[in-house]
Amino acid sequence: MSEHGTETTRRWTLRGAHTEYVVTVPAHGRWLELGAWGPHGVSDGPSPVAYDGPVPFLTAGDAAPIEYATDADRPFTGADLVVETTTGHRRVAFDFVEAAHDPAAGTLAVTFADPVTGLRAVLRYAVAAGTDVVRRRVELTNTGTEPLQLARVGSGGFCVPTPHGALLSHQWGQWSQEFQLEHVDLKHGAFTIGSSQGVPGHLHVPWLAVRDRAEPDGPAWAVAVAWTGSWEITAERDTGGLTRVRAGRRLPDGPLELPAGGALTLPEVAGAYSTAGLDGLARVWHRYQRVLAGDRLVPRPVLYNSWEATYFAVDAKSQLELAGIAADLGVETFVVDDGWFVGRDDDTAGLGDWTPDPAKFPDGFEAFVAEVRGLGLRFGLWVEPECVNPRSRLYAEHPDWVYQVDGRPLTPIRNQYLLDLGRPEVAEFVHSTLDGLLRRYDIAYLKWDFNRPRTEPGRAGADGPLDLDGAHVSALHRIYERLRRDHPDVLIESCAGGGARTDLAMAARADIFWPSDNTAPLDRLAIQHGFLHANAPHLLSSWVTDAPGIFDPRPRSLAFRFVLAMAGVLGIGADIRHWTPQQRAEAADWISRYKEIREVVTHGEVHLIGGPDQARCAVQYTSPDGRRVVVLAWHTGRSDGPGQLPSRPVRLPLRGLDPAGRYRHDERSYSGSHLSAVGVPVQWTPTHDAELIVLDRE
């Protein structure tokens, strides 16, 4: 229905499972602003973010909690949208037109228009049923007669009350050290993270959490960008105690052109709220991503990946030897990594020529796959379809298919170039290549890799500015969607040299994320700790390997590595040909135990207990019916252990239990009150550095 007219009708509430998000158009009609964002009923009282007092040297909009601001609305404190006309004029200013609100569906669309340029903006909101995530996107249409230049195209601003200062939480990283959780005190000024690489990147995760400094364990808000290209999040705290978070696309190649009659939909951004700090926010994101997964939210198979065992030295004999051992251990999917196609003996050649190497598979690739399947294993394959080596047939035939600037040398990274996926013929090549592999061979799993960012901001022979980033991402998403539609039983793992391609848009299209190429135990513990703050366990692919630590080389047991990998989707990447009979027996036992708990890991409510830098470090998963509690715990300290002097076990306080209930672990029964107030005990020793604890309610 349409709602417009008097000021009292210009107020709308979006209700989530436990939260509400209230917006209103003020009497002047120039913008939409936030009224309240928090638990049900939070809007029943004066707005915690509204301000109508004096604004010396500023405008009223610079202090207002505006949802989507042009540079006319917020000329000094940061706009979401900056538009320039052909005459070089800026300051597009909107007027309210209409609104359509469907409370039952949890949707709202508010339309504004600029009478001077003819630019229209529809601000769309949605809250998925059963979640507390507000989804927002903006649709721009140029109804005027002249083209417009879009110098900034943010997707929205989220306003958070922080009267005592803002405590920001973000995740920084680099290759092999992704998802490092860090906290920043923002008393005044701005804080910005983002990527200009045409991919979310290793350096920052498109996610930011905000809390008031006086209540670090209390209310928490978070913003994430659902965009698999260049992006930006900026948090700015004003002197009145409001922190406004701007989120959306970054434009590393310059302004976008919106021609007369043209339309552009900006990336979706999402906001989450919890009363229970970062731990509570994690559960809000988990519930939302499970909704995104839909009917594909099922426990993932235990997999083996051959990369760390054979690297590029792939051949049928070695792979079948690994597959046979993996099958004996209880593995369910066998993935052949890089090196299976023609010309691929190292990273200098072959990318783009996706034909199995007959020299490596003399009986034919189809026969090889059948042998793997005959072991009772599903078959998986590594691909990197967006990239090409200069030494390849594809590049020799289509050198114009890679991003390039006419007359300028190309920039190789990892001996490869990036295909321009925005060209229709390139997108069709990538799709038909993958579709052809899936139709010809019995493939149940694709590991889709991406090992270089975009460097060249151009297309061969192109005239005028192009939205290369937008075209690449849109084509990528369409290919994923087509593959999932036509091959619904194939699982797709999103990888980008580790965790450089994890965002909400990919969480809606990929089945699993590869968070890092670093599989060392204590390094990986920190990576997974950060990852689970913004991503659900069903997206977390984790391998057991023999890799030593890069940043924390302290040794850990095979048990530690297995319990760590069981925190999400269990995989093995070690050269299991060299494991002793004892190690193989231990591995088979861990795999069997994982299969008993993975339903709870996939669907359970997650509580993060402590962290890698604390004596307490564990993850708790509680089944939806509350009948089973799974705790994975790790020893993070020195490995020499206690025993010479008095010591007491580490206690892991559990969350969300019935205080009056009783929970049994092995032969021991605990009250829910004891487990919550005191915690389940774990005693670390030099040989016991990890634990899987399963408690069943009696």
Side-chain angles (χ1 to χ4, degrees), residues 227-530:
W227 182 246
T228 318
S230 300
W231 61 277
E232 185 171 276
I233 297 176
T234 296
E236 186 163 8
R237 185 175 182 273
D238 67 21
T239 54
L242 181 74
T243 296
R244 189 172 189 273
V245 181
R246 303 196 307 270
R249 286 186 61 178
R250 177 181 283 181
L251 302 177
D253 300 328
L256 303 180
E257 183 171 296
L258 188 62
L264 176 66
T265 297
L266 302 181
E268 187 173 274
V269 291
Y273 173 83
S274 172
T275 58
L278 296 183
D279 187 48
L281 272 178
R283 290 188 290 279
V284 173
W285 290 120
H286 295 176
R287 284 192 292 272
Y288 175 60
Q289 289 170 336
R290 288 165 177 164
V291 169
L292 292 181
D295 59 7
R296 298 175 74 91
L297 183 64
V298 295
R300 311 311 194 203
V302 178
L303 67 82
Y304 179 86
N305 183 290
S306 67
W307 174 246
E308 293 195 23
T310 57
Y311 295 100
F312 295 105
V314 171
D315 58 58
K317 180 180 179 181
S318 65
Q319 299 300 301
L320 288 171
E321 183 181 5
L322 289 165
I325 299 170
D328 290 341
L329 298 179
V331 167
E332 296 160 313
T333 296
F334 183 83
V335 181
V336 175
D337 210 278
D338 200 352
W340 57 270
F341 45 99
V342 292
R344 193 64 168 175
D345 297 316
D346 53 35
D347 66 4
T348 65
L351 282 182
D353 301 339
W354 301 104
T355 302
D357 190 337
K360 297 181 177 183
F361 304 96
D363 296 329
F365 198 64
E366 195 166 8
F368 164 71
V369 174
E371 286 196 65
V372 174
R373 296 285 289 117
L375 295 169
L377 297 166
R378 299 178 180 91
F379 182 74
L381 203 60
W382 176 95
V383 291
E384 192 176 1
E386 297 157 82
C387 293
V388 61
N389 287 122
R391 291 174 53 202
S392 67
R393 185 181 64 189
L394 179 68
Y395 184 71
E397 294 175 353
H398 300 286
D400 56 325
W401 279 14
V402 303
Y403 289 107
Q404 55 192 280
V405 177
D406 289 341
R408 302 290 184 182
L410 296 175
T411 306
I413 295 179
R414 200 174 179 257
N415 301 303
Q416 62 195 53
Y417 302 139
L418 183 61
L419 293 175
D420 182 354
L421 208 60
R423 297 176 65 129
E425 66 272 28
V426 176
E428 182 53 36
F429 165 78
V430 170
H431 172 262
S432 62
T433 296
L434 298 176
D435 183 66
L437 288 169
L438 295 177
R439 291 184 187 278
R440 180 170 182 180
Y441 305 111
D442 191 358
I443 297 171
Y445 192 102
L446 274 183
K447 180 165 183 159
W448 184 323
D449 210 343
F450 180 89
N451 280 303
R452 61 151 297 159
R454 180 170 64 86
T455 47
E456 274 60 52
R459 175 177 296 166
D463 288 328
L466 296 171
D467 183 8
L468 299 174
D469 194 69
H472 193 113
V473 173
S474 296
L476 175 74
H477 290 170
R478 286 194 298 270
I479 294 170
Y480 263 83
E481 290 158 7
R482 291 177 68 185
L483 293 176
R484 287 180 63 153
R485 179 197 67 199
D486 298 336
H487 307 279
D489 296 328
V490 176
L491 296 177
I492 304 179
E493 177 183 342
S494 173
C495 173
R501 193 179 250 178
T502 60
D503 66 275
L504 287 178
M506 288 306 290
R509 293 168 174 84
D511 298 291
I512 305 169
F513 288 156
W514 179 240
S516 181
D517 288 342
N518 187 344
T519 59
L522 289 168
D523 292 349
R524 187 69 174 220
L525 184 62
I527 291 166
Q528 295 185 183
H529 177 73

Side-chain angles (χ1 to χ4, degrees), residues 117-121 139-148 150 257-265:
T117 64
L119 182 66
R120 289 175 67 91
E139 297 170 357
L140 299 174
T141 305
N142 182 0
T143 68
T145 59
E146 299 292 331
L148 298 173
L150 309 180
E257 183 171 296
L258 188 62
L264 176 66
T265 297

Side-chain angles (χ1 to χ4, degrees), residues 67-68 80 136-138 153-157 247-249 266-269:
E67 288 285 281
Y68 195 65
D80 305 295
R136 297 174 54 181
R137 72 177 192 274
V138 178
V153 288
S155 293
R249 286 186 61 178
L266 302 181
E268 187 173 274
V269 291

Side-chain angles (χ1 to χ4, degrees), residues 23-108:
V23 292
T24 183
V25 175
H28 55 66
R30 298 197 303 271
W31 60 65
L32 185 70
E33 66 180 45
L34 181 69
W37 182 16
H40 288 161
V42 69
S43 60
D44 187 8
S47 170
V49 294
Y51 179 75
D52 58 3
V55 285
F57 286 88
L58 297 173
T59 71
D62 285 305
I66 302 179
E67 288 285 281
Y68 195 65
T70 71
D71 55 347
D73 302 328
R74 291 173 63 88
F76 306 120
T77 55
D80 305 295
L81 179 68
V82 178
V83 179
E84 188 172 293
T85 68
T86 54
T87 59
H89 294 151
R90 293 190 172 185
R91 297 294 192 267
V92 162
F94 286 130
D95 292 324
F96 172 69
V97 177
E98 63 180 0
H101 182 210
D102 186 341
T107 61
L108 171 69

